[in-house]
Amino acid sequence: MRFFITGTAGFIGFHLARKLLQDGHEVVGYDGMTPYYSLRLKEARNAGLVQFPAFRFVEGMLEDKALLSETVTSFKPDVIVHLAAQAGVRYSLENPKAYLDSNLIGSWNILEIAREAKVGHLMLASTSSVYGANPDIPFREIDKADEPLTFYAASKKAMEAMAHSYAHLYKIPTTAFRFFTVYGPWGRPDMALFKFVKAMIDDQEIEVYGEGKMSRDFTYIDDLVDSIADLASVQPVEGNRVASIDTLSAQGPFRTVNLGGGQPVGLLDFIDVIERVMGKPARRKMLPMQQGDVPRTFASPDLLLALTGRKPETGLEVGVEAFVRWYLDHRAEID
Ligand SMILES: NC(=O)c1ccc[n+]([C@@H]2O[C@H](COP(=O)([O-])OP(=O)(O)OC[C@H]3O[C@@H](n4cnc5c(N)ncnc54)[C@H](O)[C@@H]3O)[C@@H](O)[C@H]2O)c1
């Protein structure tokens, strides 16, 4: 199949593109190489992809509708996977406009392009942050998710709503994933695992927010991209409606799906795992909750399981070990 993927120099886009290429698909990757974090890391990921003859990279911003349109029209993809975004919860407190530009204007451009290209399946990256501080656990896709705590979460929720309207109006089959704290090799330097491991190697303190009382449902990157690949061929259409727990809309071919394993881990237990893997204790600096942080995330994986027959299973220790090994091998080329 032919996949057009935005955000291929990013953490998840890189892994997804590599997996699809290894599986024999054709991929055009599109990324603006934004300076939110180390460009050397983005370049190193891209260098890993351009080695595949079936990969073509286009450097461009989501806001550049003409370039997007030209790229997609000439490639004629079967599937568009829209991962490029301004990510990060905390950064959205200081830079809301970056989220408006990339996640609203940029995502709207993707919707317009999907409409023009009459793409067979549009897949979009949303986030567990849309559940806000929802006290009902596990988080199910059919639960209320309309009290976002940050502008990041609000921008993703708005993207879901915009996409629903396009699915209804123009019959674009659309799946919006809600990712739960994805981690693994080639991960993001602004996320806890990367920051903690780096600080521990440099003998620096690690900053533990919420006095360590938060918990997160961590999803290992290989499991995540397997789920995306599985879902690429699961069209959001009546024929595959899952009774009672499905979010498949009655108004158009649109569905939201949690991509998480449903095994949340407390922040202190997470740090214990990192300490065990690294064989050294962390110097912990306990700090209060940060503005916009949610106390917990906890995915119900039932819909994913019903649609694809599997869910993320990789144990945290295995995943953290893979990350640490990768980081030690690649540190010099990405910092
Ligand atoms: N990593 C996670 O735990 C997580 C959790 C929930 C949701 N998500 C979502 O998954 C997607 C991928 O996340 P990631 O962790 O790979 O992030 P990432 O920051 O590593 O990748 C995003 C990529 O998009 C590109 N980009 C950003 N704005 C752009 C723009 N306006 N035009 C063109 N390119 C642009 C960046 O250069 C970057 O390479 C994002 O939509 C993110 O919001 C990620």
Side-chain angles (χ1 to χ4, degrees):
M1 281 163 70
R2 298 153 79 85
F3 286 83
F4 176 70
I5 306 178
T6 68
T8 47
F11 169 41
I12 297 172
F14 159 72
H15 280 277
L16 178 66
R18 193 176 59 173
K19 184 208 157 39
L20 294 171
L21 289 161
Q22 283 165 346
D23 289 350
H25 299 288
E26 237 180 289
V27 176
V28 167
Y30 189 96
D31 198 299
M33 300 301 234
T34 64
Y36 172 56
Y37 61 76
S38 164
L39 277 177
R40 293 183 72 207
L41 174 53
K42 294 186 184 184
E43 277 154 13
R45 293 185 187 123
N46 198 40
L49 294 178
V50 293
Q51 292 171 4
F52 288 87
F55 180 75
R56 189 163 73 85
F57 178 62
V58 177
E59 182 168 346
M61 295 297 285
L62 294 170
E63 294 87 328
D64 187 346
K65 168 123 192 289
L67 180 60
L68 263 180
S69 181
E70 188 188 307
T71 309
V72 172
T73 318
S74 61
F75 181 51
K76 298 190 184 53
D78 302 299
V79 180
I80 293 180
V81 190
H82 174 42
L83 299 169
Q86 178 57 56
V89 172
R90 298 209 178 97
Y91 187 72
S92 72
L93 304 177
E94 280 116 50
N95 298 282
K97 181 147 188 313
Y99 295 74
L100 195 69
D101 293 342
S102 294
N103 303 1
L104 290 177
I105 306 287
S107 297
W108 173 62
N109 281 339
I110 293 291
L111 294 176
E112 280 286 302
I113 268 123
R115 172 190 173 190
E116 271 169 31
K118 298 194 175 25
V119 71
H121 197 173
L122 171 63
M123 307 179 96
L124 307 166
S126 186
T127 168
S128 60
S129 299
V130 299
Y131 292 107
N134 190 347
D136 301 326
I137 49 169
F139 299 162
R140 295 173 312 168
E141 297 87 341
I142 51 172
D143 292 342
K144 192 160 92 90
D146 49 15
E147 293 176 348
L149 299 187
T150 59
F151 197 66
Y152 168 62
S155 72
K156 290 291 185 174
K157 181 68 198 190
M159 178 192 70
E160 290 184 9
M162 295 191 304
H164 181 274
S165 75
Y166 268 56
H168 166 71
L169 293 168
Y170 309 115
K171 308 289 171 267
I172 306 166
T174 305
T175 302
F177 317 115
R178 292 178 176 165
F179 296 156
F180 283 71
T181 316
V182 190
Y183 75 103
W186 299 98
R188 267 180 28 213
D190 61 327
M191 293 183 70
L193 178 59
F194 199 119
K195 288 202 291 193
F196 288 176
V197 169
K198 180 172 161 52
M200 284 168 71
I201 289 172
D202 296 342
D203 276 322
Q204 303 288 320
E205 285 182 328
I206 63 166
E207 296 189 331
V208 184
Y209 296 122
E211 311 287 346
K213 291 194 194 94
M214 297 190 282
S215 60
R216 291 289 178 271
D217 202 340
F218 290 95
T219 313
Y220 188 59
I221 184 68
D222 291 359
D223 295 335
L224 185 97
V225 298
D226 284 351
S227 293
I228 297 177
D230 287 349
L231 284 167
S233 49
V234 180
Q235 298 282 349
V237 291
E238 275 308 321
N240 60 31
R241 179 182 288 279
V242 179
S244 77
I245 54 167
D246 208 342
T247 47
L248 181 61
S249 171
Q251 311 302 330
F254 178 91
R255 169 189 274 139
T256 51
V257 186
N258 286 342
L259 296 199
Q263 297 199 315
V265 177
L267 185 49
L268 297 181
D269 293 332
F270 178 58
I271 295 167
D272 286 348
V273 169
I274 301 174
E275 288 179 332
R276 271 204 303 283
V277 168
M278 295 190 62
K280 73 188 274 194
R283 288 166 46 213
R284 306 167 185 211
K285 182 177 178 189
M286 304 306 264
L287 293 168
M289 283 273 276
Q290 300 277 290
Q291 217 192 0
D293 269 354
V294 298
R296 76 183 70 76
T297 63
F298 185 167
S300 161
D302 293 349
L303 180 57
L304 175 66
L305 197 55
L307 293 171
T308 67
R310 58 176 169 168
K311 67 181 178 74
E313 295 284 7
T314 302
L316 191 58
E317 192 130 357
V318 172
V320 167
E321 238 179 78
F323 174 81
V324 171
R325 226 177 305 120
W326 166 79
Y327 183 69
L328 291 172
D329 284 352
H330 290 81
R331 242 188 124 191
E333 69 184 271
I334 54 164
D335 267 350

